[in-house]
Amino acid sequence: MTTVERARELHGELVELRRALHREPELGLHLPRTQEKVLAALDGLPLEISTGRSLSSVTAVLRGTGGPGGAVLLRGDMDALPVQETSGAEYTSRIDGRMHACGHDLHTAGLVGAARLLCDRREQLKGDVVFMFQPGEEGFNGAGAMIEEGVLEAAGKPLDAAYAIHVAANLLPHGLLVSRPGTVLSACDELCVTVRGRGGHGSAPHLAQDPVPAVCEMVTALQTYTTRAFDAFDPVIVTVGRLSAGTQSNVIPDTATFEATVRSYSEANQARLRTGLPTLIRGIAQAHGLEVEVDFRTVYPVTVNTPDETGFALEAARELFGPDQVMVAPRPSSGSEDFSLVLQQVPGAMVMLGAIAPGGDPRTAPMNHAPSATFDDRVLTRQTALLADLATRRLADTAA
Ligand SMILES: [Zn+2]
């Protein structure tokens, strides 16, 4: 039986697991119900299982019996988002204000599928596989916490490679597997600014110190700065997603605040932004005689695929599903990932997978994180087969 055929056999139970996860989404680093479901799904398999101390992660190690070899890590993230689901799916979220809007329910179920498949074929496996079930990808640095707790040393030997698949609700046609060597996802930082002035009557601004015009100038200056100071072919994006000041039209407030997400595509630009943005903001505040607090927080580094591992993963995908089912992306995508932290230490690749329903229009379908986003279950077979195949083949290489 081929890997894809075996993955297809597992499909029914994986869909069930995925839908159970979807109905009961959990947020952040603590996902007790999700962890329970994963542990139940892995129960009885010949795995060495450990759970996280500071987060509800699950690390499972499979010792291959097909001969000596290295170790490969496969990762699936498990957390949901604070989004009110409107997808209308029959397995829609039962928890108000929470939704698996980024498809991590599929990642979890697909990784369970790979574990099931590889346990069945343990005697063909030349080395060990580490299954990394990770909470807290959505801004909680769950990968960092798992690395701290030793996931990269779980096999007791150095990892030769690490792979992850991320599903996409739009942009890609159903089932298409896409990746690229080098930078594949942006770095992410957060900028939080509070400008402090002195409140007063709206009719007499000269007797107060108005923080509002200064904040407006800052928001505009951020856009000018990023387009003037950075190469257009190594771009920077700053989006101010929250801005607030004041209570009514004739009152000058004491303070005004805003928060921005900052995305960049190279380590050099991320480092430059770390000093450049606070300097710009402080300069404007100073020009207006206002005090300012600037908090620049690094969220995730840029995600960089190892060229060899990317080529290897895409070649495996071509052999499994056909050459027309695989594409090399012409440029990186604008999301960010804490799998970047794994790839800083282990060679590997992240692959995107089109999970739009067959026949859907990738250009108009709601995107990941949207309340109406839908992800098609049928891609579970591809996730399971590709992850299992990557581990098997890569370990065979390490043994050769
Ligand atoms: Zn995601």
Side-chain angles (χ1 to χ4, degrees):
M1 191 184 298
T2 67
T3 306
V4 175
E5 283 164 359
R6 177 65 188 128
R8 221 171 265 142
E9 275 188 353
L10 292 167
H11 187 69
E13 63 192 83
L14 296 179
V15 166
E16 221 170 277
L17 171 62
R18 181 264 166 147
R19 294 185 175 196
L21 292 164
H22 194 94
R23 284 188 201 101
E24 204 175 1
E26 295 180 293
L27 309 179
L29 295 171
H30 302 288
L31 322 171
R33 302 281 298 133
T34 304
Q35 186 187 47
E36 238 169 67
K37 291 183 186 82
V38 168
L39 291 173
L42 300 178
D43 192 36
L45 297 175
L47 296 164
E48 295 166 17
I49 290 181
S50 57
T51 53
R53 293 185 298 276
S54 66
L55 71 173
S56 43
S57 57
V58 176
T59 302
V61 182
L62 173 62
R63 306 285 180 192
T65 56
V72 167
L73 179 144
L74 304 175
R75 180 270 210 161
D77 44 4
M78 309 192 287
D79 56 323
L81 283 156
V83 169
Q84 183 67 43
E85 180 158 7
T86 61
S87 73
E90 56 165 298
Y91 50 87
T92 193
S93 169
R94 288 180 182 163
I95 302 180
D96 257 4
R98 291 185 191 177
M99 175 189 178
H100 267 292
C102 201
H104 298 185
D105 48 343
L106 280 168
H107 302 170
T108 308
L111 189 59
V112 165
R116 294 286 312 269
L117 201 155
L118 289 170
C119 284
D120 287 353
R121 298 181 165 187
R122 193 181 182 187
E123 72 289 344
Q124 293 172 24
L125 220 49
K126 295 180 166 65
D128 304 331
V129 184
V130 178
F131 301 93
M132 175 182 179
F133 292 92
Q134 183 213 305
E137 190 284 322
E138 298 289 356
F140 296 87
N141 192 23
M146 286 189 75
I147 291 171
E148 196 116 301
E149 292 192 3
V151 69
L152 304 184
E153 292 85 40
K157 56 177 127 173
L159 291 166
D160 295 282
Y163 304 104
I165 297 175
H166 202 304
V167 292
N170 69 333
L171 297 176
L172 307 179
H174 177 85
L176 189 70
L177 289 144
V178 178
S179 191
R180 74 190 303 276
T183 299
V184 65
L185 291 168
S186 63
C188 178
D189 303 295
E190 219 170 60
L191 177 70
C192 300
V193 176
T194 302
V195 178
R196 295 186 193 287
R198 197 176 61 248
H201 199 293
S203 66
H206 61 292
L207 299 177
Q209 270 188 309
D210 191 352
V212 173
V215 156
C216 296
E217 219 174 293
M218 287 170 187
V219 171
T220 313
L222 287 172
Q223 302 308 322
T224 313
Y225 172 67
T226 48
T227 61
R228 300 304 92 187
F230 292 87
D231 186 340
F233 296 100
D234 187 6
V236 170
I237 293 165
V238 179
T239 295
V240 176
R242 200 182 76 77
L243 188 149
S244 82
T247 50
Q248 70 173 41
S249 62
N250 62 354
V251 176
I252 293 173
D254 278 333
T255 61
T257 63
F258 69 88
E259 290 176 13
T261 189
V262 182
R263 307 297 170 116
S264 54
Y265 293 88
S266 65
E267 221 175 285
N269 276 358
Q270 192 177 25
R272 210 173 142 203
L273 287 161
R274 202 169 290 137
T275 53
L277 294 183
T279 302
L280 179 75
I281 298 297
R282 288 198 186 99
I284 295 170
Q286 200 188 8
H288 289 273
L290 296 161
E291 277 175 34
V292 67
E293 276 164 41
V294 187
D295 184 20
F296 186 90
R297 190 171 74 90
T298 296
V299 182
Y300 296 141
V302 67
T303 304
V304 183
N305 281 343
T306 316
D308 284 356
E309 297 299 341
T310 314
F312 174 81
L314 293 180
E315 191 46 39
R318 278 185 206 104
E319 282 178 36
L320 284 173
F321 312 115
D324 60 332
Q325 299 297 299
V326 177
M327 199 182 91
V328 178
R331 51 180 170 266
S333 313
S334 53
S336 304
E337 254 292 339
D338 63 358
F339 190 61
S340 54
L341 297 167
V342 174
L343 293 181
Q344 280 184 335
Q345 300 195 40
V346 183
M350 172 159 247
V351 178
M352 304 301 290
L353 168 60
I356 191 172
D361 184 348
R363 288 165 307 177
T364 56
M367 67 201 293
N368 289 37
H369 290 207
S372 54
T374 55
F375 300 86
D376 195 282
D377 285 326
R378 274 164 281 199
V379 298
L380 277 165
T381 298
R382 293 208 162 178
Q383 293 171 256
T384 299
L386 181 59
L387 289 173
D389 192 62
L390 285 173
T392 310
R393 288 187 199 214
R394 193 63 182 75
L395 288 176
D397 280 358
T398 66

